[in-house]
Amino acid sequence: MVAPPIYVEIVIRAPLEEVWRLTQEPELHRRWDLRFTRIEYLPRTEPAPQRFLYATRLGLGLEIRGEGESAGDKDAGDGSRTSALTFGSEDARSLIRRGSGYWRYVPVDEGTRFLTRYDYETRFGVAGRALDRLVFRPLLGWATAWSFDRLRLWLEDGITPEDARRRRLPRARRCRRSPP
C-alpha cells in the first residue's frame, strides 16, 4: 500500500508577500521550519534553477544532509503563487531518497492561505516503507504543521519561532492535514 503524500494548510492573517518572504529566504525559512537546521542556496547563474543544500540535526551529533532544486515559481492571474521543488539525499542514513512538492500561497479575505503537498521515495525496501508509514511520515506531517503554526505566530503575533519553541506553543490544530 502506497503512503499518502503529506498535505498541510493554514490561514495566516498576513499579506501574501510577507508569507512569501519568510518562506523563500533561507535564513528566515530555517528559523521557523522544524524540519531543517540549515538551508543554504548554492551559487546560481540565470536562468538555471536555484539549487540549495539542507541539513537536519537529529541529535547525538547526527546530521542528515540533502540537496534540492527549485523547480520554478508561478504567479497565477488570481493573485496566488506557487513554488515547486525537488529534493533528495545521497546520505545512506536518510530514509528519504528523493521527492518533490510545492508551496501554494492563496490570498483570502483573512490574509493568506498557505499550503504544501509533498511526497518522497524511501530507502531500505519494505522495512523503510513500513517505518515511513508507521512513524516517520506522521512525524514529518506533524513537524510540518507545527512549523506552519510557528510561521503564523511570527507573522500574526510577533512571537519569534525561537520563542515559540522555547515556550512550546504547538497550536498546529489550526492546520489542516488532508486536502479539502
Side-chain angles (χ1 to χ4, degrees):
M1 178 179 237
V2 176
I6 294 174
Y7 179 92
V8 174
E9 77 173 64
I10 192 168
V11 173
I12 300 173
R13 290 187 319 267
L16 186 145
E17 288 305 320
E18 273 303 291
V19 179
W20 180 269
R21 186 177 70 82
L22 268 60
T23 59
Q24 296 295 318
E25 293 182 22
E27 277 305 305
L28 299 172
H29 178 183
R30 177 191 58 75
R31 288 181 62 192
W32 61 264
D33 199 332
L34 292 166
R35 299 169 297 171
F36 306 104
T37 49
R38 188 167 33 115
I39 303 169
E40 175 185 333
Y41 279 173
L42 296 172
R44 176 182 183 188
T45 306
E46 294 283 346
Q50 178 65 64
R51 297 182 49 75
F52 58 91
L53 301 175
Y54 65 87
T56 302
R57 230 180 334 226
L58 302 176
L60 303 173
L62 180 63
E63 182 177 76
I64 303 292
R65 296 182 183 140
E67 291 187 31
E69 182 175 288
S70 294
D73 300 332
K74 181 180 178 185
D75 293 332
D78 63 359
S80 66
R81 294 175 92 171
T82 303
S83 176
L85 62 98
T86 60
F87 56 92
S89 178
E90 297 299 320
D91 189 327
R93 300 168 301 174
S94 174
L95 183 60
I96 295 175
R97 182 184 309 272
R98 68 180 153 264
S100 63
Y102 64 86
W103 282 350
R104 185 151 161 74
Y105 309 73
V106 181
V108 294
D109 290 341
E110 301 89 351
T112 304
R113 184 172 148 240
F114 178 50
L115 61 102
T116 189
R117 183 181 186 275
Y118 62 98
D119 203 0
Y120 51 86
E121 299 172 12
T122 60
R123 286 190 167 76
F124 315 124
V126 173
R129 287 189 298 276
L131 177 64
D132 178 57
R133 189 165 182 81
L134 296 173
V135 178
F136 188 73
R137 193 169 291 250
L139 185 61
L140 198 52
W142 173 84
T144 304
W146 189 13
S147 296
F148 275 33
D149 203 48
R150 285 169 29 128
L151 175 63
R152 181 190 65 78
L153 289 168
W154 194 11
L155 284 163
E156 289 183 5
D157 301 330
I159 299 171
T160 67
E162 298 81 8
D163 260 357
R165 188 175 195 175
R166 275 191 296 276
R167 291 165 53 183
R168 302 197 188 281
L169 294 173
R171 295 190 282 185
R173 67 184 175 273
R174 293 179 186 252
C175 294
R176 179 183 297 196
R177 299 277 309 279
S178 60

